[in-house]
Structure formats: structure tokens, C-alpha cells
């Protein structure tokens, strides 16, 4: 028999830019195969720009310049073989290269107030979406800006540009073949802003006044050339030009002043585009010949809750006579009114200012007094609070080397013991070689960091390391140890479980599950995570670094409920484990259809299809409500019902009833399921008397029980604390809260609520006195139940 022909190499799909060459080729096993080509199911005999070529066993379809007409599915058939592939002709947005280079290499410059129009012509497969962006935000039409687009170009028009229009712009052209982004820069030039103030009086004497200012924050896009200084005498209307200064000089001295005359000064900045608005000074008085000059600003020596001690130096210019004393003034920071501290001048150059308000920030200034009068006041002191000085923090605890290698050492420690007034703001880590007398700072770390890695060491190098806590009161006492790169003490693997690591988590479906477990051990221990004793699902992500391991599932599903275990091992058989429960829950689905039956005369039995949430929610229960007209109010008949049936016994014949059933759990209530038609027991005609059968309803009384217990909390001083639990029982239990066995019912500092069994205690403005053991008691006629938790308070960090 004749051997069959087969493919050595099949056709392969290609993507080609419009205008570029394209080629399809395949290889068969027999040379005598002629073959035929097909496009989109039609046989090709000839096609513009397409060449069919056969060289030995290779058959080719060659396109010299790909156009849209060449896109499609191609098939080669020959002998016993058949193979298919596609050609995709891509035509992404394009802009003329010369225009593109001009737009991107040179900024567009416009003058303030002028219109700007940026036009970008483009080509490519239609439709093309064009967007203009500035600072990553897409621009839209408003009163000044307009974005226009046609099939071949896009234009950005700004009717009257100003300095806020300066910046980097991006044009994004996009179609189904690709995206083209063009970066543009627009520069708007304008006259400068006024010089930055305030105008500072450097010197004021009987002969001259020296003023000083700062350069404008915005020079208008052109460098400042010079400053123009003008003056107006108090009481007159006209301004006189005193002179100009170059841009490098931001001070000016005028000698044409009259003794004890007052003036206003103003300064303008000038660039190539024009002159800025003016920066004006307050009233400046030329001093008399004999009055003293202004002292330097006072210095803050110390402070307490109601006093601040200041000191100052005598002014350089004392005037024509001896200084007799000093006028001291104070003001609250942020106010403009200065108030005298004493009724008479202070002879000493130091003063303890008393009767201040605790916690308020004050500024002080002084003026020298001689026989000629009071001189110019000093500049204000640095602001200071009237409060007791903060205490230095204590030593950090348990400083040790957790791991090391040939070039680094890793330190860990615990926070100092917390005391009033020494909240830790951060940590300072220092090092020095054993033979060196001086310490070198390595790091300054935030308060939440209690570990660091010192790198860049030599193998076997011995050094001293120390860590000290920082607070408002200064650095605390340092803890110090000796370490050696490449040599760390062996530390058994240990999980660092504290109150922040919970043993039971309730997560709403769709929310992330994120659990971080700290640990220690040297060498670095092996961390393994399990769920219900098996490896984690593929969606779970575990990251282990810097002495902690984190489990992350970005969107919780009901199947994620279960027992999670983190296992710490040293590779030598020694292990430590910690397990915690995760319950995934959600607001329940509504119950199914409701059915009503009169199984016992003058009663109605309500039954319903269970909520779909019963499959995954262990704490689901139902509430039954009724109303006696189509628009009446709903009243609760039964709550905390854990089956799908409820009997209502107080039915009045001849009255219409509507019923509603709601499914509930710890997160809330479902949408209701309701009866559409009213339920009615018809009144019977009183033809004869019938002794009604006595019916004893099912005893549904249940002792109280905690569906969700209290949990312990750690909160920051000054914040609110919400403690909550869920209670079941029938009749509805009475709830009483206690702190350290004290009844909180009448305490206005605590706010208690009970919404359908969800009980909450809110502690408003937590203080140290609120720390302790809290207990909630639930009681009814059947029994009592208790749940306890601890509230810990920590200071602001």
C-alpha cells in the first residue's frame, strides 16, 4: 500500500501590523503534494498582494503588505493533510513621527490669559477613543476647557489659560489593536505672585529703617528680575518709590526717615511679563534717638501646668540712657492681642509667668525701657505649652538577638512598662565595635516596631548594640547587649500569642481573612499552615518574614469555615502549634413560602420553608410577626425560633391577619417572607353553645444561653469601646451589666442596648479607670447565664 502523507509542521496563527509583510507556511511529508489554499472557507486561486510558493516539502502563502482584506482564517489542503491558522491584521493608533517628536521634545508655552489649542491628528482602525489627562485625571468639558474629537484628530482647547494649567498632559489613543500614549508639557507664563511675607523689620532707629521679605512662591514661569520698594507716611494717601533691588537681594534700607514718624512699606516683584501685586507691611515707627533697640526673642527655660519661665538678653542698642527694666507681654498662639504680664517693668532678665491656663500654648515678647521710653518689642518667642514636663520612658524589655548571619544581626525587644506620662513615640538603635569609644546611630524606628536588622557587618565581628525608647520627655535608659555576626544563640521555636490574636473569628462572606501570628526562633523555624488538618486551599496566600507569618484569603467563602492551625518547627522534631476557629457568615437569605393552617380551633399554625442559609449558619433563628390590616403596624409574635413552625393562639374570629417571617443571625435580619392573602376564622352563628376544648400550647420556655459570648478588648485612651454579645432564651432574658462585680445600670458613663437579643455596652471616652473585668448576666424565669471579658487600656502611641 502507498504510505499516507502527513504534516511535519502545521500552520501557525500570526499577528501583523498593517502594511508589514506576513507569511503562513507548513511542511508535509511527501514532495509530490500540490495542495490548495482557502480563506474563510473559499478556495484561493489568486489574490492581490498574495503569493503562493512551494519549495520541496514546504508550502508558503506570502503577503508582501498586509491590509485589512488579508485578515481571516486560512486553510491548506493537500493529499491527506489539512491545517488551519489565522492572520490578524493589527492597525493601532498612530501619529506622524515628526509631529510626535515636536510635541514631546519641546514644551508648549503660552501667556496667561491667552487661548491654547493642542491638535493631535491620528490614523488607525476606527473607532479610536481619544482621552486627555492631566495629573492622571481625565479632562472633561467645563467653562474654560473643551475636548473635541473627530475620526482623524483630537483637540484640547483652553480659552483663557493661567498658571494652574501648567503641567504634564497625556493624550491616550486606543482602539481594538492597541494603545498610543503621548506625553506633552504645557508652560504658562505670567507676572509673579507678590513677594512672600510678612515684611520683617530688621532694624528701626531714628536714622534708618531696614525691611526684609522673601521671594514670591511663584515667579510666573519667568525669573524675577528685581524688586520695587515703596513707602507711605501714616496719614497720607500717596506712595513714593524708594528704589529697587536686584533679584538676589531681599532687603532694603532707607535713611530718609524722621524720628518717631510712622510709615507703611510695600514691595513688588517684577519679571519679563510684568509687575506683581504688592506685599504691604504693618505700621513701622522710626525710633527716637534715645530709645533702646529690640531684644532677641525670649527663650523658654521651663514649663509646668500653670507657669512658664522665660529669659532674654539685653538689646544690642540701649539708647542714650541706661536700661531701667523690661516690659513683658504674652498672647495665646493664634491670637493677635498682646497682654502685659506685669504692671511695672521687670528689672531682671528672667521671669516666671504664673496663672496660665493648663494645656494652652503661649508666645512671649519683651521690650526694653530707659529714660526716653519703651523701645521696639522683640520678635515672639517659640510657642510653649503650659503643662508638666513629660517623663522619660523606661528601659525596653527582653532585648535579644533573634537571628544572625555572616553580614547581619536581627534584634527583637518588648516595649517598656507603661507609666503615666511616658508614652513611647519610637525607638533609637545604636551600635559600636567593642574596641571603639563612640556610638553610631543605626535607626530611628516608629513606636509599633520592636525589631530591626543591622546589616553590613563582617563575618565574626563582635559589636555592642543598644536600644532606647523615645518619648516627648526625651530618650529613656538604654538596654545594651553584645552580639557577633554569624553567631546567634539558639532559640527554641515559640509562637508569640497575645490578646491581639483571637481564637475565634466571625467573618462576613466576601470580606478578607487576614491573620498574623508572631513567632521567634533561631535558626529561622519552618512555618506550616493547615485547615482542618489538611493543606490550605489554593486561594490562600501565606507570607512569612521578620518574625511573623500571615494568612490571607482576599474574599471569604462559606467553605472557608473551619479550624486553622499554624505549626512552628525547628526541623529537629520540636514543634509548637496554635489553632483558631473561623466562622464565615452573612446576612441570612429570606425564608421560603409561608403556609397557614387551623389545626386547633381558633388558632393558626404558621409553617414556612427554611432559609437557604440554614446550610451554613449554625446560629440562625426566626422571628414571626403579624398585623391585623393591610396597612397596620407589624407586631412580634415569636422570636428566637429554631424550627420552621409557630402556633398563634389568640386569634379573634372575623378579623383579618397577615403574617411575616424573618431569618436572623449575628449580622442582621433577612428580607421578610409574607402572606399575600389575609387569614380569617369566620364567626359562627350563635345557634347553640359549645363548650370550647381547652388547649394547652407547647411550652416554648428556654433558659438563657449566649449565642455569641463577650470577647476581651484592648483600646486606646480617649476612644469609645463597644462590647457586644448575642443572647437567646424564652421569655426574653433580662440583661444586667457589671464591672468588677459593680452593677452599671445607673451609671451615666455607660450606655446599654438590647436589640432582639443582641446586647451592647458602650464605654464613652475610655480612661484608665475603665480597665477591668466586665460581666453580662442574662436571666428569665427558667434560669440564668453569664459571660465575662476583660477590657485593657493602653495610652496613645
Amino acid at each position: 500500500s502507498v504510505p499516507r502523507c502527513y504534516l511535519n509542521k502545521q500552520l501557525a496563527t500570526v499577528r501583523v501590523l498593517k502594511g508589514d509583510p506576513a507569511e503562513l507556511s507548513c511542511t508535509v511529508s511527501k514532495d509530490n503534494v500540490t495542495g490548495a489554499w482557502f480563506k474563510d472557507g473559499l478556495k484561493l486561486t489568486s489574490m492581490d498582494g498574495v503569493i503562493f510558493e512551494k519549495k520541496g516539502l514546504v508550502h508558503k502563502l506570502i503577503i508582501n503588505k498586509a491590509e485589512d482584506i488579508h485578515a481571516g482564517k486560512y486553510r491548506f489542503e493537500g493529499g491527506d493533510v489539512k491545517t488551519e491558522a489565522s492572520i490578524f491584521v493589527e492597525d493601532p493608533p498612530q501619529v506622524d513621527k515628526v509631529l510626535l517628536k515636536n510635541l514631546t521634545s519641546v514644551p508648549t508655552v503660552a501667556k496667561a490669559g491667552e487661548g491654547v489649542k493642542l491638535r493631535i491628528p491620528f490614523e488607525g482602525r476606527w473607532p479610536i477613543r481619544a482621552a486627555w489627562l492631566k495629573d492622571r485625571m481625565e479632562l472633561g468639558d467645563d467653562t474654560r476647557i473643551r475636548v473635541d474629537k473627530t475620526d482623524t484628530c483630537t483637540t484640547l482647547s483652553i480659552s483663557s489659560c493661567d498658571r494652574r494649567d501648567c503641567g504634564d498632559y497625556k493624550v491616550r489613543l486606543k482602539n481594538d489593536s492597541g494603545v498610543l500614549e503621548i506625553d506633552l508639557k504645557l508652560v504658562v507664563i505670567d507676572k509673579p505672585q507678590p513677594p512672600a511675607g510678612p515684611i520683617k523689620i530688621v532694624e528701626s532707629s531714628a536714622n534708618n529703617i531696614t525691611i526684609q521679605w522673601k521671594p514670591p512662591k511663584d515667579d510666573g514661569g519667568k525669573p524675577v528680575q528685581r524688586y520695587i520698594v515703596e513707602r507711605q507716611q501714616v496719614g497720607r494717601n500717596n506712595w513714593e518709590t524708594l528704589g529697587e533691588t536686584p533679584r538676589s537681594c531681599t532687603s532694603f534700607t532707607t535713611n530718609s526717615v524722621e524720628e518717631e514718624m510712622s510709615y507703611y512699606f510695600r514691595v513688588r516683584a517684577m519679571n519679563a511679563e510684568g509687575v506683581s501685586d504688592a506685599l504691604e507691611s504693618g505700621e513701622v515707627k522710626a525710633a527716637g534717638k534715645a530709645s533702646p533697640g529690640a531684644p532677641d526673642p525670649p527663650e523658654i527655660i521651663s514649663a509646668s501646668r500653670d507657669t512658664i519661665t522665660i529669659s532674654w538678653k539685653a538689646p544690642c542698642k540701649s539708647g542714650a540712657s541706661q536700661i531701667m527694666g523690661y516690659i513683658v507681654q504674652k498672647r495665646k498662639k493664634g491670637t493677635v492681642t498682646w497682654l502685659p504680664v506685669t504692671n511695672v517693668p521687670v528689672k531682671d532678665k528672667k521671669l516666671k509667668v504664673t496663672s496660665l491656663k493648663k494645656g494652652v500654648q503661649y508666645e512671649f515678647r519683651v521690650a526694653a525701657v530707659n529714660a526716653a521710653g519703651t523701645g521696639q518689642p522683640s520678635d515672639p518667642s517659640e510657642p510653649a505649652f503650659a503643662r508638666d514636663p513629660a517623663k522619660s520612658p523606661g528601659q525596653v524589655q527582653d532585648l535579644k538577638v533573634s537571628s544572625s548571619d555572616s553580614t547581619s544581626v536581627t534584634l527583637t525587644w518588648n516595649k517598656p512598662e507603661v507609666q503615666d506620662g511616658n508614652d513611647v513615640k519610637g525607638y533609637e538603635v545604636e551600635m559600636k565595635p567593642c574596641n571603639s569609644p563612640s556610638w553610631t546611630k543605626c535607626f530611628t524606628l516608629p513606636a509599633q516596631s520592636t525589631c530591626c536588622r543591622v546589616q553590613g557587618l563582617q563575618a565574626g565581628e563582635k559589636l555592642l548594640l543598644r536600644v532606647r525608647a523615645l518619648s516627648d520627655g526625651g530618650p529613656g535608659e538604654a538596654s545594651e547587649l553584645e552580639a557577633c555576626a554569624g553567631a546567634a544563640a539558639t532559640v527554641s521555636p515559640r509562637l508569640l500569642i497575645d490578646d491581639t490574636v483571637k481564637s475565634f473569628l466571625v467573618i462576613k462572606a466576601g470580606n478578607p481573612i487576614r491573620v498574623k501570628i508572631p513567632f521567634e526562633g533561631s535558626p529561622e523555624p519552618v512555618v506550616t499552615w493547615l485547615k482542618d488538618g489538611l493543606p490550605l486551599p489554593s486561594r490562600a496566600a501565606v507570607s512569612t518574614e521578620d518574625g511573623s507569618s500571615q494568612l490571607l484569603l482576599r474574599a471569604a467563602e462559606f467553605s472557608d469555615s473551619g479550624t486553622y492551625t499554624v505549626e512552628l518547627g525547628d526541623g529537629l522534631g520540636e514543634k509548637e502549634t496554635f489553632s483558631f476557629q473561623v466562622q464565615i457568615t452573612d446576612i441570612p437569605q429570606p425564608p421560603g413560602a409561608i403556609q397557614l393552617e387551623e389545626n386547633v380551633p381558633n388558632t393558626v399554625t404558621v409553617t414556612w420553608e427554611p432559609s437557604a442559609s440554614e446550610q451554613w449558619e449554625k446560629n440562625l433563628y426566626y422571628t414571626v410577626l403579624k398585623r391585623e390590616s393591610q396597612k397596620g403596624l407589624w407586631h412580634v409574635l415569636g422570636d428566637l425560633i429554631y424550627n420552621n413552625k409557630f402556633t398563634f393562639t389568640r386569634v379573634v374570629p372575623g378579623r383579618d391577619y397577615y403574617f411575616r417571617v424573618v431569618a436572623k443571625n449575628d449580622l442582621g435580619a433577612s428580607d421578610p417572607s409574607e402572606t399575600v392573602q389575609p387569614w380569617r376564622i369566620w364567626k359562627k352563628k350563635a345557634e347553640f353553645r359549645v363548650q370550647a376544648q381547652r388547649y394547652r400550647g407547647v411550652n416554648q420556655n428556654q433558659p438563657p444561653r449566649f449565642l455569641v459570648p463577650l470577647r476581651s478588648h484592648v483600646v486606646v485612651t480617649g476612644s469609645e469601646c463597644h462590647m457586644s454579645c448575642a443572647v437567646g432564651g424564652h421569655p426574653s432574658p433580662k440583661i444586667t451589666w457589671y464591672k468588677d462585680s459593680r452593677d452599671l445600670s445607673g451609671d451615666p458613663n455607660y450606655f446599654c442596648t438590647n436589640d432582639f437579643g443582641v446586647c451592647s455596652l458602650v464605654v464613652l471616652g475610655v480612661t484608665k479607670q475603665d480597665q477591668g473585668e466586665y460581666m453580662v448576666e442574662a436571666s428569665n424565669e427558667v434560669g440564668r447565664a453569664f459571660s465575662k471579658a476583660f477590657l485593657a487600656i493602653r495610652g496613645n502611641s
Side-chain angles (χ1 to χ4, degrees), residues 375-425:
Q376 289 289 327
S378 69
D379 288 337
S381 68
E382 290 294 325
F385 282 100
R387 62 186 180 191
D388 291 329
K391 301 175 183 177
S392 298
Q395 273 189 311
V396 300
Q397 305 292 313
D398 301 327
L399 176 64
K400 60 188 173 184
V401 176
S402 63
S403 64
S404 71
D405 54 31
S406 60
T407 61
S408 68
V409 170
T410 300
L411 298 177
T412 61
W413 62 88
N414 292 326
K415 295 181 178 181
E417 293 183 1
V418 177
Q419 299 177 2
D420 290 340
N422 68 342
D423 291 338
V424 174
K425 302 297 183 183

Side-chain angles (χ1 to χ4, degrees), residues 283-604:
E283 183 176 328
V284 182
K285 184 177 181 180
K289 291 183 179 180
S291 60
D296 291 337
E299 295 183 358
I300 306 299
I301 302 300
S302 63
S304 67
R305 67 178 59 195
D306 57 359
T307 67
I308 295 177
T309 301
I310 62 173
S311 68
W312 59 91
K313 297 178 180 178
C316 297
K317 297 181 179 180
S318 61
S321 59
Q322 184 179 0
I323 293 177
M324 302 164 56
Y326 298 89
I327 299 295
V328 182
Q329 296 176 312
K330 68 179 180 182
R331 71 178 179 188
K332 295 179 182 179
K333 185 182 177 183
T335 63
V336 296
T337 303
W338 289 94
L339 301 175
V341 173
T342 59
N343 295 326
V344 295
V346 178
K347 294 185 178 181
D348 198 359
K349 292 190 285 292
K350 182 178 179 181
L351 179 66
K352 183 176 183 179
V353 183
T354 60
S355 302
L356 301 178
K357 190 173 182 180
K358 180 182 177 182
V360 175
Q361 203 171 14
Y362 290 91
E363 294 176 319
F364 301 91
R365 72 178 185 182
V366 296
V369 180
N370 66 6
T374 303
Q376 289 289 327
S378 69
D379 288 337
S381 68
E382 290 294 325
F385 282 100
R387 62 186 180 191
D388 291 329
K391 301 175 183 177
S392 298
Q395 273 189 311
V396 300
Q397 305 292 313
D398 301 327
L399 176 64
K400 60 188 173 184
V401 176
S402 63
S403 64
S404 71
D405 54 31
S406 60
T407 61
S408 68
V409 170
T410 300
L411 298 177
T412 61
W413 62 88
N414 292 326
K415 295 181 178 181
E417 293 183 1
V418 177
Q419 299 177 2
D420 290 340
N422 68 342
D423 291 338
V424 174
K425 302 297 183 183
Y427 298 95
E428 183 179 77
V429 181
E430 297 176 295
M431 63 171 283
K432 73 169 184 175
C434 290
N435 57 358
S436 172
S438 59
W439 290 89
T440 302
K441 184 187 293 186
C442 301
F443 308 102
T444 299
L445 304 172
Q448 62 269 25
S449 295
T450 55
C451 68
C452 74
R453 185 181 182 192
V454 182
Q455 298 178 291
L457 307 178
Q458 299 294 325
E461 179 184 1
K462 289 186 177 181
L463 67 156
L464 295 175
L465 296 165
R466 69 183 184 186
V467 180
R468 67 177 79 217
L470 306 176
S471 72
D472 292 337
E477 184 179 353
S479 292
E480 185 177 320
L481 56 72
E482 180 177 322
C484 180
T490 299
V491 179
S492 299
R494 184 166 72 95
L495 294 166
L496 306 177
I497 306 300
D498 56 18
D499 291 341
T500 63
V501 181
K502 307 302 180 185
S503 60
F504 184 78
L505 300 176
V506 178
I507 307 293
K508 184 178 180 182
N511 286 354
I513 302 176
R514 183 181 284 104
V515 180
K516 191 171 185 179
I517 305 294
F519 64 85
E520 66 177 6
S522 180
E524 187 81 10
V526 178
V527 181
T528 305
W529 287 83
L530 302 172
K531 177 183 179 291
D532 298 327
L534 299 174
L536 295 176
S538 58
R539 298 184 300 104
V542 174
S543 58
T544 302
E545 60 182 2
D546 296 334
S548 67
S549 184
Q550 177 176 273
L551 167 69
L552 174 63
L553 287 99
R554 297 191 180 278
E557 300 176 358
F558 294 118
S559 60
D560 294 327
S561 296
T563 301
Y564 289 78
T565 302
V566 58
E567 185 179 274
L568 203 64
D570 60 0
L572 302 176
E574 186 174 349
K575 295 182 179 180
E576 183 173 353
T577 62
F578 172 73
S579 297
F580 56 93
Q581 297 286 332
V582 175
Q583 174 66 47
I584 308 302
T585 186
D586 203 349
I587 294 176
Q589 298 293 317
I594 298 176
Q595 295 184 351
L596 305 174
E597 296 180 355
E598 186 181 7
N599 295 327
V600 177
N602 292 334
T603 68
V604 56

Side-chain angles (χ1 to χ4, degrees), residues 222-268:
K222 290 281 189 177
V224 173
Q225 297 173 338
R226 58 186 180 273
Y227 296 96
I228 302 171
V229 182
E230 298 174 291
R231 182 183 72 181
Q232 180 189 60
Q233 186 173 318
V234 174
R236 297 184 179 180
N237 296 326
N238 61 310
W239 288 86
E240 59 175 319
T241 302
L242 297 179
E244 298 180 353
T245 69
R247 67 179 183 181
S248 59
C249 180
T250 56
S251 64
F252 185 87
T253 299
T254 175
N255 298 320
S256 58
V257 297
E258 298 180 26
E259 183 180 345
E260 296 189 354
M261 185 63 70
S262 296
Y263 302 93
Y264 297 109
F265 293 88
R266 70 183 183 188
V267 183
R268 303 176 189 265

Side-chain angles (χ1 to χ4, degrees), residues 612-630:
S613 301
E614 282 194 17
Q615 301 176 11
W616 47 264
E617 178 57 68
K618 297 179 181 178
N619 296 324
L620 185 137
Y621 60 94
Y622 297 95
T623 300
V624 179
L625 305 95
K626 63 95 177 174
R627 66 182 180 187
E628 298 180 4
S629 67
Q630 198 165 6

